[in-house]
Amino acid sequence: MPKIKCPIPDCEYETADLEAAIVASLLTVHSTIHSSLNAPTAKIEKVKRPSISAAGTSEEWSYFMSRWSDYVSATKIEGRDKVVQLLECCDEPLRKDLTRSTGGSLTDKTEETILSAIKKLAVREENTMVARVTLHNMRQDRDEPVRNFSAKLRGQAGVCKFVITCPNCNHEVNYTDTIVRDVLARGIADPDIQLDLLGDKNQNMTLEEVTQFMEAKEAGKRSASRLLDTNAAATTSCYKRTKQIALKDKNETCSYCGKKGHGRHAPARTRKTECPAYGHKCGHCNKDHHLEALCRSKDKEKLPTASTDTHSYEGGVFESLCVLSDIISNHHSNKSIALDHHLYDHLSDTWIRKRSKPQPFINLIIKSLPEDHKALGFSLNAPQRTIKLPAMADTGCQSCPGRN
C-alpha cells in the first residue's frame, strides 16, 4: 500500500508502505496529537489590582508596593496604561485628595511622580522609635500559629529600619532577623515552649531555626492534647457507666434495714457506716445486721414491713434537715416542704447541700433487777430475760420534723 500523509494541513507526518489496517491505526493514533493540541486550555484567573487608602502605615505601604510590582509584572502594562491603573488603585477619598493636591489631570505624569504623591497622602509620618517600641510590645495571640506570628513580626520590623553602616567599610548591615528572633522568643504565648527554647544548648539559632523549633514543640503539644482528649473521653464514658450502675443500685431498698441510699446488697464496709441495721441482732433469729421487720427466717411472726413501719429507726436516719410549714391563710391548711441536709461552709460563707454523717448506735442490754421482781410480786424463780437493743447516742440537738 502506498504511503499516506496526514490530512491535517501543514502537517508533515507520513505513514510507511504498510498494510491498510496498520496504516489506518497509525493515522488514528496520530490524530490524537492534533486533538490534544487543539484542546481548550484552562481559563486563567484575572490578576487582581491592589488597593490603597489614606492614613496607612509604612508597613501597609511596603505591602502595597510589593503587590503593585507583582501586578505590573503579570499584566505587562507600560506607559500611560500603567499610570491609569496606578491611579485606579487609590480609593475614592485618596483619589480626590490626590487630584486636589496636584491641581489637574494626573494621567500625563510619570509613575514615579504618582507614587511619590500617593505616599505623601497615604502614609502617616511615623517615628522610627515608635515603630520599634510597637515591635517589642507585640505578643502572640491565643491559638495563633508561630509561623503567622513570625510573619507579623517581620512585617512590623520592615519599617523599623534595623540597618547600620559599618564605620570601616561603609557597608550597610541589616540586623532585622536578629531583632525579630529575640522578639519572637520573648512574645511566645506558651511558657513551656519558651522555657524549652531558652534551655536549649544551641543559643545561636537563626530566626528560621527558632521558628522551626517552636513549630515542632507546638505540633507535639497539639498532638498530645488530642491523644489525652481521646483517652479522657473513653475514661469518662467508662466512669459514667460505672456511676450509673452505682446510682441505680443506691436507689434500691436495702434488704437489711429497708432504707434507700446505700444499695440493696451493699458490702460490709459500706453498711458499717450507712446502714442503721449494722450491728443489730434480730430478736427472731438471733442473727446480726438486720432488722426484725426484714428477717427472712421462716419461723418468725408476721410483722409489718419496713415500708409501713414509719417509726422504725426514724430518729436514727436523718435524710432531711427540717420541714418548713407554709400556712395558707385562705384555706387554713399546712403545706410541708422538705429540705435536704445542709452544712454551713465558712470558707464560701454559704449553706452547702451535703449528706449527714451516719448516726452513732450502741448496743443496749436491758434486764430486770431482782429487787423489781420482788416489788412487783413476781417469783424470783421465774426466768429472767435479757434483751439487747440498738440505741442511738443522741445529744438532743438534732433538728427533728415538726409543725408550726
Side-chain angles (χ1 to χ4, degrees):
M1 185 174 180
K3 300 178 181 180
I4 299 178
K5 291 186 177 182
C6 176
I8 303 298
D10 299 332
C11 183
E12 299 179 356
Y13 178 75
E14 186 181 29
T15 62
D17 187 4
L18 301 171
E19 297 181 1
I22 298 177
V23 171
S25 300
L26 291 175
L27 289 175
T28 303
V29 173
H30 177 71
S31 64
T32 59
I33 299 176
H34 294 285
S35 300
S36 61
L37 293 176
N38 296 329
T41 57
K43 185 178 180 181
I44 301 176
E45 186 72 21
K46 186 178 179 181
V47 180
K48 293 182 179 180
R49 184 176 55 223
S51 61
I52 188 170
S53 58
T57 62
S58 300
E59 180 186 0
E60 293 173 351
W61 174 255
S62 300
Y63 177 68
F64 169 75
M65 291 299 298
S66 176
R67 289 286 309 276
W68 171 248
S69 178
D70 295 340
Y71 177 78
V72 172
S73 177
T75 56
K76 301 186 184 304
I77 55 177
E78 296 179 353
R80 185 183 178 89
D81 293 336
K82 183 187 291 187
V83 174
V84 172
Q85 293 298 323
L86 178 59
L87 291 174
E88 291 297 325
C89 293
C90 305
D91 61 359
E92 192 61 27
L94 179 59
R95 178 68 180 271
K96 187 181 296 184
D97 293 340
L98 193 62
T99 304
R100 291 169 179 171
S101 62
T102 55
S105 177
L106 300 172
T107 55
D108 57 346
K109 308 290 184 181
T110 62
E111 179 189 3
E112 290 75 13
T113 304
I114 299 299
L115 284 174
S116 178
I118 292 175
K119 184 177 181 180
K120 290 180 180 179
L121 295 174
V123 180
R124 297 191 304 264
E125 290 293 335
E126 293 180 350
N127 191 325
T128 305
M129 290 302 299
V130 175
R132 293 181 179 181
V133 171
T134 302
L135 173 66
H136 285 280
N137 289 335
M138 293 176 67
R139 297 291 183 271
Q140 183 186 20
D141 295 333
R142 184 178 181 181
D143 298 331
E144 181 184 17
V146 173
R147 182 69 62 176
N148 293 19
F149 179 53
S150 177
K152 188 165 62 176
L153 293 177
R154 283 178 179 270
Q156 179 64 25
V159 298
C160 294
K161 300 178 182 179
F162 291 116
V163 179
I164 189 171
T165 303
C166 178
N168 297 325
C169 62
N170 293 327
H171 180 73
E172 291 187 347
V173 179
N174 192 323
Y175 58 99
T176 302
D177 287 353
T178 304
I179 299 297
V180 173
R181 180 198 62 185
D182 297 342
V183 176
L184 177 63
R186 181 173 181 264
I188 188 70
D190 195 323
D192 296 334
I193 299 179
Q194 187 181 52
L195 290 177
D196 292 340
L197 175 65
L198 298 179
D200 192 86
K201 62 180 181 180
N202 184 11
Q203 294 296 307
N204 295 320
M205 288 187 285
T206 62
L207 173 61
E208 182 60 26
E209 290 175 344
V210 170
T211 305
Q212 292 179 0
F213 180 90
M214 292 182 174
E215 278 186 323
K217 294 289 185 179
E218 192 178 60
K221 295 191 72 172
R222 184 168 55 249
S223 302
S225 63
R226 291 177 182 175
L227 180 61
L228 292 176
D229 291 343
T230 304
N231 294 337
T235 305
T236 304
S237 178
C238 180
Y239 170 74
K240 285 184 177 180
R241 289 196 299 267
T242 306
K243 188 175 181 180
Q244 289 175 355
I245 295 174
L247 182 61
K248 181 179 179 182
D249 181 68
K250 281 192 174 184
N251 290 333
E252 295 183 357
T253 303
C254 176
S255 60
Y256 300 96
C257 67
K259 303 294 182 180
K260 294 182 180 180
H262 50 272
R264 181 175 179 81
H265 298 288
R269 64 175 181 273
T270 302
R271 290 189 290 111
K272 186 176 182 180
T273 57
E274 299 184 15
C275 182
Y278 191 85
H280 171 69
K281 178 177 286 188
C282 178
H284 298 295
C285 62
N286 281 334
K287 293 183 179 179
D288 295 330
H289 311 314
H290 68 271
L291 301 180
E292 289 80 356
L294 297 176
C295 182
R296 291 190 288 268
S297 176
K298 296 181 180 180
D299 299 331
K300 72 180 184 69
E301 299 178 3
K302 188 66 175 179
L303 293 175
T305 60
S307 59
T308 58
D309 188 10
T310 58
H311 298 286
S312 176
Y313 292 92
E314 188 67 28
V317 181
F318 287 90
E319 294 294 339
S320 301
L321 176 65
C322 60
V323 177
L324 297 180
S325 298
D326 183 14
I327 302 177
I328 305 176
S329 58
N330 294 334
H331 302 282
H332 302 284
S333 61
N334 293 336
K335 181 179 179 181
S336 300
I337 303 175
L339 296 180
D340 294 329
H341 187 270
H342 285 66
L343 290 178
Y344 185 77
D345 184 35
H346 293 277
L347 184 61
S348 58
D349 193 23
T350 185
W351 290 89
I352 299 177
R353 179 181 176 182
K354 191 174 182 181
R355 180 183 291 275
S356 61
K357 294 183 179 180
Q359 303 300 321
F361 279 83
I362 60 175
N363 292 325
L364 184 64
I365 300 177
I366 301 176
K367 63 180 180 179
S368 59
L369 297 176
E371 295 81 1
D372 295 335
H373 274 253
K374 184 177 181 181
L376 295 174
F378 292 101
S379 174
L380 296 176
N381 297 327
Q384 298 181 12
R385 294 185 58 187
T386 300
I387 301 176
K388 185 178 181 181
L389 296 176
M392 184 182 69
D394 187 6
T395 60
C397 65
Q398 301 285 354
S399 299
C400 300
R403 292 185 179 274
N404 293 334

